[in-house]
């Protein structure tokens, strides 16, 4: 069978982010047209900017959660814009106000990754207001009132659009989640390919597992919010459990993958395994697209053929030479687990089409227990008010960078320069150097492309077409701000430059100046990334401790035959997220300066060891459910003692007759210790330099 690969742009062009981006663009454009018709184009700009400011935190979610987020975020925007309006008559006070608002914007990210947009809702509207000409208090009050009106109208529009598109949005998030599992299947196929580089394939599978974990978080938020029985919403909610059961079996199949790949004469079976996994991925992709057009999606009729071929090949070689019996036993077990995983694809089809199958998939699980909870409590931020906190350090860096940008902008002439320089700093600078560097490069390249596009549009397109270009640019910004920031930067540049031209069409478009401002802002963000930095190795001990704690909890539940399904699923969710956090940290560290990459190779070893241990636990869980006796109490107690070892504490040597689970746990603890020691050496070097 041909090795089919989906086009790379499938993930980019099919998903919630597109619908959300179109909705945001439509809302902003509607308010811009209404404000222009009522107040005039230039006078109505504050209302348009209010709508854009309110839309910053408009991300896919339920209408209840969106109402809380948009209202809270826009309240922060009103506070920051009011504060800067009051401070503008006194430049030193205005500079201090910019620093204070930037600091608070950074601290808000302590609520979690989801709160980054809230932080930007304090900062970006402030930059918008700085772009307005200095006016009398009465005119400033009118600007603020129009700004608030535009934002409030946008929030009402966004909530209405969310309610209207709720059914299609749920289908889209389910489709995206199924597609991410399909991509993971292809990654696992590479792991079993004897011709592929094992470490590279294994690392790719772990990275895709992290992406699947992130998508599952979005799916839980969208699908598990009180689905009524006997409805499409219930069937979509049930898919999460089925997908995770398939994921469990896929992970379990990798428990002895090195032994499987090395089994003599295994090439024909490994080839069939690869084909079965790729066909399964293709079928999942088919299902992910069909779910968008019907509430009763079906698999292709030949779905089972590749699974049967894999099993026939395993049956044909059932009796290997005695010398290789152990390796072939591992290969046979892996084949059965992969067949089980692929069988869940058929179960997924039934779950999406049949209410009783969906109810059986959910069982007695309380779906509300898996819903992500957002906290808006200010008390949560107190834990970050300490010298070692990455959030506090980021907040200080951001405040200093914004103040420096404001000072530099004073020497560049008109307010448009300062507006663009500060905007670049605000959107580029992130809590860690890796993300800042990536966004810096994307921002510069995106701005360059956007300037070229805007120059062509301004030179040749009439005003009516330019308004449409402005709306399309907003769609691009919001659709791709998380998925492809470079493309989002193209849209941002086009929108800003076209808007400036429409406000003052008789003036030449400042395209070259805006590109220069982007370079200045990016340079300031880069410079201040090294001020009181927080490198990834600083958090290494905490990440390793959390991983070991989650592994201990998962071990306790996975090896307990009487453990409730809900407890197992919660423990599995937590350990998947812990692995994803470690994988994300490795990705960020890989783009930090070489001198700051303390423990990067050791982190990769820990990731592989932890994944190997989880694979053995998942395999043991499947065996227990199939009727095999669980490990004895002594083995379970020893596993708990090992995983409870403190960082840096050397694990004991494994006796020759130790169970494979114990050996795998020892490998994890040893890798965690090596990783923590490498990170501590970096911290010691930093203290010595200080």
């Amino acid at each position: 069978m041909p090795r089919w690969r989906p086009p790379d742009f499938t993930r980019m062009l099919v998903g919630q982010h597109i619908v959300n981006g179109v909705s945001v663009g439509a809302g902003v454009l509607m308010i811009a047209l209404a404000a222009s018709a009522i107040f005039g184009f230039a006078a109505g700009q504050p209302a348009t900017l209010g709508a854009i400011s309110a839309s910053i935190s408009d991300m896919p979610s339920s209408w209840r959660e969106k109402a809380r987020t948009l209202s809270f975020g826009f309240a922060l925007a009103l506070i920051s814009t009011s504060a800067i309006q009051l401070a503008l008559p006194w430049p030193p006070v205005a500079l201090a106000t910019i620093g204070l608002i930037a600091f608070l914007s950074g601290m808000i990210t302590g609520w979690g990754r989801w709160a980054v947009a809230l932080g930007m809702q304090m900062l970006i509207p402030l930059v918008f207001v700085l772009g307005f000409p200095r006016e009398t208090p009465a005119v400033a009050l009118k600007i603020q009132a129009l700004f608030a009106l535009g934002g409030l109208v946008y929030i009402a529009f966004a909530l209405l659009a969310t309610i209207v598109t709720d059914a299609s949005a749920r289908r889209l998030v389910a489709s995206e989640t199924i597609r991410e599992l399909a991509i993971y299947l292809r990654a696992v196929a590479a792991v079993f390919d004897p011709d592929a580089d094992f470490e590279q394939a294994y690392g790719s599978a772990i990275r895709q597992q992290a992406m699947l974990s992130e998508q599952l978080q979005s799916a839980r938020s969208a699908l598990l919010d009180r689905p009524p029985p006997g409805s499409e919403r219930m069937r979509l909610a049930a898919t999460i459990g089925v997908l995770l059961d398939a994921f469990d079996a896929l992970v379990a199949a990798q428990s002895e993958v090195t032994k499987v790949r090395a089994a003599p004469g295994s090439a024909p079976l490994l080839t069939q395994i690869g084909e079965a996994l790729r066909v399964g991925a293709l079928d999942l992709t088919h299902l992910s697209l069909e779910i968008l057009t019907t509430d009763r999606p079906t698999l292709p009729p030949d779905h089972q053929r590749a699974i049967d071929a894999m099993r026939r090949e395993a049956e044909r070689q059932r009796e290997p030479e005695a010398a290789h019996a152990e390796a072939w036993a591992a290969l046979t077990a892996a084949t059965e687990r992969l067949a089980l995983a692929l069988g869940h694809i058929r179960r997924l089809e039934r779950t999406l089409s049949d209410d009783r199958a969906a109810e059986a998939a959910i069982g007695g699980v309380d779906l509300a227990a898996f819903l992500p909870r957002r906290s808006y409590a200010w008390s949560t931020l107190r834990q970050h008010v300490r010298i070692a906190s990455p959030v506090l350090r980021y907040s200080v860096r951001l405040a200093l960078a914004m103040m420096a940008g404001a000072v530099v902008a004073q020497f560049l002439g008109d307010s448009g320069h300062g507006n663009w320089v500060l905007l670049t700093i605000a959107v580029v600078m992130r809590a860690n150097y890796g993300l800042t560097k990536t966004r810096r490069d994307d921002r510069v390249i995106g701005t360059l492309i956007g300037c070229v596009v805007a120059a062509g549009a301004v030179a040749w397109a009439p005003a009516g077409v330019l308004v449409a270009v402005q709306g399309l640019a907003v769609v691009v910004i919001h659709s791709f701000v998380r998925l492809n920031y470079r493309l989002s930067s193209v849209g941002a540049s086009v929108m800003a430059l076209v808007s400036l031209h429409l406000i003052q069409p008789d003036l030449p478009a400042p395209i070259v100046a805006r590109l220069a401002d982007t370079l200045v802002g990016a340079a300031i963000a880069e410079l201040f990334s090294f001020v009181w930095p927080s490198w990834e190795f600083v958090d290494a001990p905490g990440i390793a401790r959390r991983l070991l704690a989650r592994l201990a909890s998962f071990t306790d539940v996975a090896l307990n035959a009487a453990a409730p399904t809900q407890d197992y699923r919660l423990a599995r969710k937590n350990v998947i997220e812990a692995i994803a956090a470690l994988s994300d940290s490795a990705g960020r560290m890989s783009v930090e300066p070489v001198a700051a990459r303390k423990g990067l190779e050791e982190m990769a070893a820990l990731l592989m060891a932890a994944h190997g241990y989880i694979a053995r636990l998942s395999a043991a869980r499947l065996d227990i459910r199939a009727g095999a006796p669980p490990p004895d109490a002594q083995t379970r107690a020893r596993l708990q003692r090992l995983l409870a070892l403190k960082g840096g504490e050397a694990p004991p040597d494994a006796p020759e007759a130790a169970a494979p689970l114990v050996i795998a746990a020892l490998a994890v603890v040893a890798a965690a210790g090596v990783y923590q020691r490498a990170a501590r050496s970096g911290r010691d070097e930093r203290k010595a330099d200080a």
Side-chain angles (χ1 to χ4, degrees):
M1 295 182 185
R3 295 194 173 192
W4 183 85
R5 290 286 187 274
D8 292 338
F9 52 79
T10 301
R11 180 188 279 164
M12 183 178 292
L13 298 180
V14 180
Q16 267 191 306
H17 57 285
I18 297 296
V19 174
N20 183 246
V22 171
S23 173
V24 171
V28 170
L29 191 58
M30 178 196 73
I31 292 168
L33 293 174
S36 298
I38 297 171
F39 306 107
F41 192 89
Q45 278 299 295
T48 302
L49 293 179
I52 293 173
S53 299
S55 74
I56 291 172
S57 61
D58 187 357
M59 301 297 173
S61 63
S62 67
W63 73 266
R64 293 182 184 85
E65 190 59 56
K66 184 172 288 193
R68 292 179 67 195
T69 304
L70 291 182
S71 301
F72 189 84
F74 192 59
L76 294 176
L78 290 175
I79 291 171
S80 69
T81 52
S82 298
I84 196 63
Q85 292 256 44
L86 292 172
L88 279 176
W90 303 278
V93 177
L95 184 64
T97 302
I98 291 172
L100 176 61
I101 291 172
F103 176 80
L104 293 175
S105 169
M107 288 299 296
I108 282 174
T109 63
W111 280 328
R113 185 184 298 182
W114 65 270
V116 172
L118 290 183
M120 289 298 99
Q121 255 180 310
M122 289 191 75
L123 209 51
I124 292 178
L126 174 146
V127 177
F128 286 162
V129 169
L130 288 174
F132 284 110
R134 304 296 176 260
E135 301 286 359
T136 63
V139 175
L141 183 61
K142 180 182 177 182
I143 289 174
Q144 189 70 6
L146 284 173
F147 180 89
L149 178 63
L152 292 174
V153 172
Y154 176 83
I155 291 173
F157 171 87
L159 294 178
L160 179 61
T162 300
I163 293 171
V164 170
T165 62
D166 180 68
S168 61
R170 291 176 189 275
R171 287 187 185 183
L172 275 168
V173 75
S175 172
E176 290 176 274
T177 309
I178 293 170
R179 188 172 65 236
E180 288 299 326
L181 183 65
I183 298 172
Y184 182 66
L185 250 69
R186 286 192 284 272
V188 174
V191 170
F192 281 92
D193 184 352
D195 296 327
D197 180 86
F198 176 69
E199 289 192 3
Q200 183 177 351
Y202 206 61
S204 296
I206 292 174
R207 286 191 294 274
Q208 177 55 32
Q209 182 177 318
M211 297 184 72
L212 176 60
S213 172
E214 184 175 349
Q215 178 58 37
L216 283 167
Q217 280 289 78
S218 299
R220 292 185 186 102
S221 179
L223 302 180
L224 302 186
D225 185 20
R226 292 178 279 190
S231 65
E232 183 187 38
R233 284 181 58 184
M234 183 197 68
R235 295 194 298 274
L236 292 175
T239 62
I240 295 179
V242 178
L243 289 172
L244 282 170
D245 287 344
F247 172 78
D248 238 7
L250 288 168
V251 172
Q254 300 170 60
S255 60
E256 295 189 275
V257 66
T258 52
K259 191 179 294 184
V260 165
R261 283 166 55 107
S266 61
L269 180 52
L270 290 175
T271 298
Q272 288 295 338
I273 285 174
E275 292 298 332
L277 288 171
R278 283 185 286 272
V279 170
L282 179 58
D283 288 344
L284 278 173
T285 303
H286 167 88
L287 207 58
S288 74
L289 295 175
E290 186 152 305
I291 197 177
L292 301 178
T293 59
T294 176
D295 61 351
R296 295 290 192 274
T298 57
L299 286 169
D302 60 349
H303 164 72
Q304 190 67 27
R305 188 178 301 170
I307 302 174
D308 293 340
M310 179 179 68
R311 278 184 158 148
R312 281 196 302 272
E313 184 61 34
E315 185 70 24
R316 191 176 68 82
Q317 303 191 42
R318 179 178 287 277
E319 297 182 5
E321 298 178 16
H324 308 305
E326 185 179 348
W328 270 91
L331 184 53
T332 301
T335 303
E336 288 304 312
R337 289 161 187 159
L338 290 171
L340 177 63
L342 294 170
H344 285 304
I345 298 176
R346 179 66 72 185
R347 182 175 163 228
L348 179 64
E349 177 199 44
R350 291 195 299 270
T351 300
L352 286 167
S353 304
D354 183 76
D355 290 343
R356 284 180 295 181
E359 289 172 359
I362 294 173
V365 173
D366 178 14
L367 298 180
F370 295 85
L371 273 172
R373 304 294 180 186
R374 292 182 177 180
S375 170
Y376 294 82
W378 293 103
S379 57
T380 307
L381 303 180
R382 289 191 199 130
Q383 62 181 310
H384 299 293
V385 185
R386 52 188 176 84
I387 297 298
S389 169
V391 173
L392 178 66
R393 292 180 174 226
Y394 164 61
S395 303
V396 171
R397 288 197 304 274
L398 182 60
L400 293 175
M402 290 293 289
M403 292 171 72
V407 171
V408 170
Q410 292 297 312
F411 296 95
L412 295 179
D414 64 87
S415 61
H417 284 291
N419 198 24
W420 201 262
V421 169
L422 289 175
L423 187 62
T424 298
I425 295 170
V427 298
V428 166
M429 201 153 188
R430 285 296 177 263
N432 59 75
Y433 177 82
L435 284 177
T436 298
K437 179 182 177 183
T438 302
R439 289 177 75 91
R440 177 204 67 196
D441 296 344
D442 287 343
R443 173 75 173 177
V444 171
I445 295 171
T447 299
L448 177 61
I449 297 171
C451 286
V452 173
V453 173
V458 167
W460 301 103
V465 174
L466 288 178
V467 172
V469 170
Q470 189 182 35
L472 180 61
V474 172
V475 173
V476 171
I477 294 168
H478 228 274
S479 294
F480 299 105
V481 67
R482 290 189 173 182
L483 194 65
N484 189 320
Y485 184 67
R486 183 172 300 178
L487 186 56
S488 183
S489 293
V490 173
S493 299
V494 171
M495 183 201 71
L497 291 169
V498 169
S499 298
L500 288 171
H501 175 74
L502 290 173
I503 292 173
Q504 295 177 301
D506 296 331
L507 296 179
I511 291 174
V512 175
R514 292 301 167 257
L515 180 57
D517 294 341
T518 298
L519 294 173
V520 171
I524 292 173
E526 170 77 7
L527 176 64
F528 278 89
S529 294
F530 293 92
V531 175
W532 210 23
S534 180
W535 306 116
E536 286 297 320
F537 69 77
V538 174
D539 292 330
I543 292 175
R545 281 195 303 271
R546 284 191 294 274
L547 175 61
L548 291 176
R550 296 289 174 84
L551 286 174
S553 299
F554 187 50
T555 300
D556 186 48
V557 176
L559 301 182
N560 182 1
T565 301
Q566 176 155 321
D567 291 352
Y568 175 75
R569 289 185 176 182
L570 279 171
R572 177 179 61 188
K573 167 183 172 291
N574 290 336
V575 81
I576 290 172
E577 290 173 358
I579 286 284
L582 187 63
S583 178
D584 290 344
S585 179
R588 292 190 297 267
M589 185 186 288
S590 67
V591 293
E592 289 182 343
V594 175
R597 297 177 196 171
K598 304 296 183 182
L600 181 58
E601 293 183 3
E602 292 82 358
M603 188 189 295
L606 174 57
L607 269 171
M608 294 183 71
H611 190 270
Y613 179 66
I614 293 170
R616 287 194 175 277
L617 277 178
S618 298
R621 175 73 177 183
L622 290 178
D623 291 343
I624 291 169
R625 293 182 64 182
D632 57 63
Q634 184 178 1
T635 299
R636 295 201 301 272
R638 185 174 186 191
L639 289 171
Q640 291 296 330
R641 286 196 303 272
L642 284 173
L643 295 171
L645 288 176
K646 296 180 179 179
E649 192 174 335
D653 294 331
E656 291 185 9
L661 265 174
V662 173
I663 295 173
L666 284 166
V668 174
V669 175
V674 172
Y675 171 47
Q676 289 173 291
R677 286 192 292 274
R680 285 198 188 98
S681 70
R683 296 171 73 178
D684 294 341
E685 289 175 14
R686 190 175 67 171
K687 289 179 181 178
D689 293 340

